Amino acid sequence: MELCNIHEIKALLARHGFHFSKSLGQNFLIEDWVPRDIAVASRAGPGSGVLEIGPGIGPLTVELARRASRVAAVELDRDLLPILAETLSGFDNVTVIPGDVMKLDLPSLVAEQFSGLTPMVSANLPYNITTPVITLLLESGLFSTVTVMIQKEVAQRICAGPGSKDYGAFSVLCRYYAETQLLFEVPRECFLPAPKVTSAVVRLNPCPPPSEVRDKELFFRVVRGAFGLRRKTLLNALAAAFPLSKEILAGCIARAGLPSDIRGERLGIPEFALLAEEIGSVCE
Ligand code: SAM
């Protein structure tokens, strides 16, 4: 069956008595170029083991299964399991794993499902868990690439650089773990039901952490602090985040080679790393 044909989807869902859940971010694809292009962008091929999050009724799963050696698709909505058993019945390289991706033991899943393969992620993500799930995937260090469709504005935040209006703590986190690429946009009309916003596909290519960051925990504390009060200067934002006097923090900013009135959104990873070093030295 054509898994992106709106008439066939409606008939399939009606036959199974399925109802969409807004809280599970269920917007299913109804244009076949979208799952095809996501699968191609994921670079899934022979030797790949692909973790898909939220297969829905399986349009992307099928495109991935045609290309990769194995696909493990994690689906939280149990009502979709009988539908997936039907739509994926022609593929012997797909395992559907019922459950919440946020609660999975990812290292065990990868070891069990993708032994001898290159693990990667490909998904049309449920938008309500975009940020935590991308954080989890990057922090896991398990995947060679992470290619996901998400809200366009989050995609722009992920790929933004210092000084741009979209740049924030999440941009720094993603850039810390990976090279980021915004690949293409997907209009809202490509989904059933249509979401309120445009979507976009991003690819994150994990890379070694920046060598200039010596204390990761402190580095991210400084990043979160710097963006905590967005319209304030870096000094005021840090003063609200650290139990240090403004005089001491001003000294740290100066020794990191930064202007006294700079705002946090102008700092890249090297500058945050220098600043974290200075703050670390006065906290000791
Ligand atoms: N892949 C399908 C498509 O492109 O048509 C469906 C994508 S839909 C945006 C998101 C899917 O993620 C839904 O099937 C939803 O039930 C599932 N989902 C939501 N939260 C989840 C979670 N925490 N873990 C796993 N799957 C989840």
Side-chain angles (χ1 to χ4, degrees):
M1 88 170 261
E2 288 179 46
L3 289 179
C4 286
N5 178 308
I6 189 160
H7 304 294
E8 296 200 25
I9 294 173
K10 283 184 174 170
L12 175 76
L13 297 182
R15 195 151 42 77
H16 285 270
F18 177 83
H19 297 285
F20 286 96
S21 157
K22 207 173 172 182
S23 66
L24 290 179
Q26 289 178 340
N27 302 94
F28 293 173
L29 285 166
I30 53 170
E31 291 289 343
D32 59 6
W33 66 267
V34 185
R36 199 172 51 236
D37 284 9
I38 297 174
V40 170
S42 302
R43 298 182 173 147
S48 313
V50 187
L51 170 65
E52 186 193 358
I53 296 153
I57 63 168
L60 177 58
T61 325
V62 165
E63 292 294 340
L64 294 167
R66 286 186 181 136
R67 293 170 170 79
S69 292
R70 281 213 67 75
V71 179
V74 183
E75 177 53 64
L76 178 57
D77 189 345
R78 290 189 169 266
D79 291 347
L80 286 166
L81 301 181
I83 300 181
L84 285 165
E86 184 178 327
T87 58
L88 301 176
S89 62
F91 295 90
D92 60 7
N93 61 341
V94 179
T95 307
V96 175
I97 301 172
D100 180 346
V101 67
M102 297 304 299
K103 297 183 181 154
L104 276 186
D105 178 349
L106 284 176
S108 301
L109 180 145
V110 165
E112 283 159 21
Q113 298 286 332
F114 303 144
S115 168
L117 301 174
T118 304
M120 54 184 65
V121 175
S122 181
N124 169 14
L125 282 183
Y127 293 163
N128 48 329
I129 58 166
T130 304
T131 311
V133 84
I134 291 176
T135 305
L136 178 80
L137 295 170
L138 291 177
E139 285 180 348
S140 78
L142 290 165
F143 302 101
S144 65
T145 58
V146 174
T147 308
V148 285
M149 179 153 64
I150 55 181
Q151 290 177 38
K152 181 181 158 190
E153 62 172 44
V154 183
Q156 287 170 326
R157 269 197 268 142
I158 287 175
C159 299
S164 91
K165 71 172 173 37
D166 298 316
Y167 187 58
F170 193 51
S171 323
V172 179
L173 181 133
C174 290
R175 194 62 200 83
Y176 177 92
Y177 287 106
E179 285 163 9
T180 61
Q181 268 178 295
L182 204 163
L183 299 179
F184 56 91
E185 290 183 13
V186 178
R188 40 193 297 281
E189 298 76 35
C190 293
F191 301 85
L192 176 76
K196 289 201 178 73
V197 293
T198 303
S199 299
V201 176
V202 287
R203 188 169 54 224
L204 302 125
N205 297 315
C207 52
S211 55
E212 59 266 47
V213 178
R214 276 200 279 246
D215 179 342
K216 184 169 125 185
E217 206 177 307
L218 178 60
F219 171 82
F220 281 115
R221 235 184 110 197
V222 171
V223 171
R224 282 193 302 273
F227 287 104
L229 296 176
R230 223 184 140 98
R231 275 170 199 78
K232 302 278 184 192
T233 61
L234 177 64
L235 176 58
N236 283 334
L238 292 177
F242 286 89
L244 296 169
S245 72
K246 277 199 179 177
E247 289 67 33
I248 289 180
L249 285 166
C252 294
I253 291 171
R255 285 194 301 282
L258 300 168
S260 58
D261 60 349
I262 197 165
R263 289 174 194 272
E265 60 257 34
R266 303 214 72 87
L267 274 59
I269 286 180
E271 292 80 25
F272 277 122
L274 277 175
L275 189 56
E277 285 286 306
E278 294 300 335
I279 292 179
S281 69
V282 295
C283 285
E284 276 162 5

